[in-house]
Amino acid sequence: MSLNAQTISPSLQRSKRFATIALIIAVCAWLLLMISAKFLPQYTTFLHILMLGAEAGVVGGLADWYAITVLFRNPFGRLPIPHFLRDHTEIIPRNKARIAESMGRFVQENFLSPKIVEQSLQRTDLAQHAGQWLANPNNSTQVTQMMQQTLPQVFDFVEQQQIATFIQNNSVQWVQNTKINRLASEMLRAVLENDFHQDVLQHALDLAHEWVLTHPDETRRITTKLFQEFGILKLSKGASWLGIDMQQRTIDTFVEQLEEMLKNPEHPWRQHIETYGNDLMLALQQDDSDASIRLNASKNALINSPQLLNFISGAVVILFNALKEDLQKPNSGVAHNLRAAIELLGQNLIENQEVRQLLNQRMSTLAIHFSGQYSNKIIRFVSGRIQEWDSSEMIAKIENEVGGDLHMIRVNGVVVGAFIGLVLGVIRAGIEYIL
């Protein structure tokens, strides 16, 4: 809505009315006292004191009216007046650009500077506040309800044929143009540096050891199959005639190796896995290495497969439809689980001080970065927007916000002026009496 179209606020109307009434009362009192002095000469001294107070009230009210009016407009209209008077009217419209720049600089220096942002965030535990907000059942319910209303519309938008085709084509093109060997290398680096592979290997060895011990028949069948593939099954049977059970010895040896690997973190096989992982990570960093070429070729083969694309598209459609139908139910299971997950996340944030400290540190770093990076752009946008305002719109906006207090100054001008006039009148009367 245009600022010109805004209605005048009640406080502004009330202040204008009070100021006008006060000025009219002062003028009427001044005129009445002048007339009374002519008809009541015996009270001339007393009436002159009151008349001086009324005059001062009129002067104070008019002076304040002029001072307030020239802030917003030219009270002289088209009257020919000296330039030194005209140049100091319409102060706010004339200095709109300077005001906009000053406001932008004030906001930047006092609210958006990296130092101010850092100090403010150091005094606030944002992660704890976020956790308390999320853990509140009322808030989690509101978030869930908003998602129940929004996600089905998003799914409807994405499922439109043209949009779906556009997203699919661009996604496929992005995957085709992406060399995933470097992504795989970084993922492998993270795994190796954090010893995730050792945890996975330890768990796998435990499972393998337990399975072999608890499934002896299945283990022998697998061993028989391996012997058959290697062509030594007949040899193992011949050895059994001599009392040598090659299959059981193979199983026992395998179990011994598993147990040794479980006990010894420096086992050669573990070291071999470690070395292989590091070599593979380094190889994937090079786009022309055999490992990178094979990985990217496999990726392109999968992407170019119509069957895979059709399967992914069909799976996405089925998933979207299932989620949409469930979210639209009053007793949605997805919404219930989502609400519980939000509250659990909030409770975990409240209880885990280390995570809160890490989140606060990261959020503070991001906020400081963005304040330093984008505060100038935000302020330029705000300043530019203020400069684009029409002068009448700007006047209407400012006067509507602060005009009520400004016009009350006119009332104060009448009252204070009248009081000063009375004091001066008494002083003059006293001096005349003495002299």
Side-chain angles (χ1 to χ4, degrees):
M1 181 176 63
S2 172
L3 294 177
N4 279 331
Q6 291 181 343
T7 58
I8 299 178
S9 65
S11 64
L12 178 57
Q13 291 178 333
R14 184 170 55 254
S15 298
K16 281 186 173 182
R17 185 165 58 250
F18 286 165
T20 303
I21 292 173
L23 184 58
I24 292 174
I25 291 174
V27 172
C28 292
W30 176 60
L31 294 174
L32 182 61
L33 288 168
M34 277 196 304
I35 296 172
S36 300
K38 295 294 183 181
F39 292 99
L40 300 171
Q42 65 273 28
Y43 298 109
T44 300
T45 301
F46 178 69
L47 292 175
H48 278 181
I49 293 174
L50 296 179
M51 187 168 58
L52 184 59
E55 287 178 354
V58 173
V59 172
L62 290 174
D64 287 340
W65 167 82
Y66 176 79
I68 293 170
T69 301
V70 295
L71 288 174
F72 303 104
R73 54 186 64 85
N74 178 10
F76 302 106
R78 297 183 180 275
L79 292 176
I81 59 174
H83 283 292
F84 75 90
L85 287 177
R86 185 179 295 277
D87 291 344
H88 293 283
T89 62
E90 301 178 304
I91 295 174
I92 292 177
R94 287 176 183 271
N95 295 276
K96 183 173 63 174
R98 190 173 65 184
I99 292 172
E101 182 179 351
S102 298
M103 289 177 63
R105 187 164 55 250
F106 173 81
V107 173
Q108 182 181 29
E109 293 175 355
N110 293 277
F111 296 97
L112 295 179
S113 68
K115 185 177 180 180
I116 295 295
V117 171
E118 183 178 8
Q119 291 176 351
S120 300
L121 291 177
Q122 285 177 350
R123 296 192 297 266
T124 306
D125 192 342
L126 292 179
Q128 185 174 23
H129 291 319
Q132 292 173 346
W133 192 90
L134 292 173
N136 189 322
N138 293 331
N139 296 329
S140 62
T141 300
Q142 291 180 3
V143 174
T144 305
Q145 289 175 348
M146 181 187 68
M147 297 185 70
Q148 282 187 271
Q149 297 171 359
T150 304
L151 287 179
Q153 298 178 7
V154 174
F155 292 157
D156 290 337
F157 173 78
V158 174
E159 287 176 0
Q160 295 181 21
Q161 185 60 38
Q162 293 179 343
I163 302 297
T165 303
F166 176 81
I167 294 175
Q168 179 176 326
N169 292 339
N170 281 273
S171 300
V172 170
Q173 185 176 4
W174 178 80
V175 174
Q176 287 177 335
N177 296 333
T178 301
K179 294 184 179 297
I180 63 171
N181 57 291
R182 297 188 181 181
L183 176 61
S185 176
E186 291 303 317
M187 293 176 63
L188 189 56
R189 177 193 298 275
V191 168
L192 294 174
E193 289 181 352
N194 292 279
D195 288 334
F196 291 153
H197 62 299
Q198 294 292 350
D199 295 337
V200 174
L201 179 60
Q202 187 74 19
H203 186 61
L205 291 174
D206 283 333
L207 291 177
H209 182 261
E210 182 181 359
W211 190 89
V212 170
L213 295 180
T214 56
H215 298 80
D217 296 335
E218 288 83 350
T219 304
R220 288 193 66 89
R221 280 197 293 270
I222 293 174
T223 307
T224 301
K225 184 67 176 177
L226 290 174
F227 279 14
Q228 185 177 2
E229 293 293 332
F230 292 147
I232 59 174
L233 181 59
K234 293 182 178 180
L235 179 62
S236 67
K237 290 181 177 180
S240 63
W241 295 340
L242 301 176
I244 302 174
D245 192 344
M246 292 181 61
Q247 287 184 278
Q248 189 59 45
R249 288 191 177 186
T250 301
I251 295 173
D252 293 341
T253 301
F254 178 71
V255 171
E256 290 175 3
Q257 289 294 331
L258 283 178
E259 292 175 348
E260 188 175 347
M261 289 180 67
L262 285 170
K263 295 177 183 178
N264 183 15
E266 303 297 328
H267 192 278
W269 287 11
R270 283 180 178 265
Q271 297 299 321
H272 177 72
I273 294 174
E274 186 86 20
T275 303
Y276 177 78
N278 282 287
D279 292 343
L280 181 60
M281 178 190 69
L282 296 175
L284 291 174
Q285 291 177 353
Q286 308 298 323
D287 294 337
D288 55 353
S289 66
D290 291 339
S292 298
I293 293 173
R294 287 196 303 269
L295 182 61
N296 287 313
S298 301
K299 177 257 300 181
N300 292 331
L302 289 173
I303 291 299
N304 293 327
S305 171
Q307 293 83 1
L308 177 64
L309 294 178
N310 291 334
F311 170 77
I312 294 176
S313 300
V316 170
V317 170
I318 293 172
L319 178 62
F320 278 9
N321 288 335
L323 288 175
K324 183 171 65 176
E325 291 178 3
D326 184 85
L327 288 171
Q328 290 173 340
K329 297 178 181 178
N331 55 345
S332 169
V334 174
H336 175 76
N337 292 329
L338 182 61
R339 184 164 53 250
I342 292 174
E343 293 178 13
L344 179 61
L345 174 61
Q347 193 63 38
N348 289 336
L349 279 177
I350 295 173
E351 296 174 355
N352 197 320
Q353 185 177 359
E354 294 181 358
V355 172
R356 289 205 315 273
Q357 290 177 348
L358 178 60
L359 287 176
N360 287 329
Q361 181 182 357
R362 295 296 173 86
M363 286 189 290
S364 177
T365 302
L366 286 175
I368 294 170
H369 170 74
F370 284 122
S371 65
Q373 192 80 8
Y374 298 104
S375 62
N376 289 331
K377 297 179 181 179
I378 295 173
I379 297 310
R380 282 200 300 269
F381 172 78
V382 173
S383 300
R385 182 67 186 93
I386 295 175
Q387 294 182 35
E388 290 174 1
W389 284 354
D390 180 74
S391 296
S392 58
E393 291 183 350
M394 187 174 182
I395 291 172
K397 179 66 175 176
I398 296 176
E399 193 171 17
N400 226 17
E401 295 296 333
V402 300
D405 293 327
L406 291 177
H407 284 283
M408 286 304 295
I409 295 176
R410 294 172 52 195
V411 178
N412 295 336
V414 173
V415 175
V416 174
F419 177 76
I420 294 174
L422 287 173
V423 173
L424 294 177
V426 172
I427 293 173
R428 186 179 72 174
I431 292 174
E432 289 178 350
Y433 177 78
I434 294 171
L435 298 176

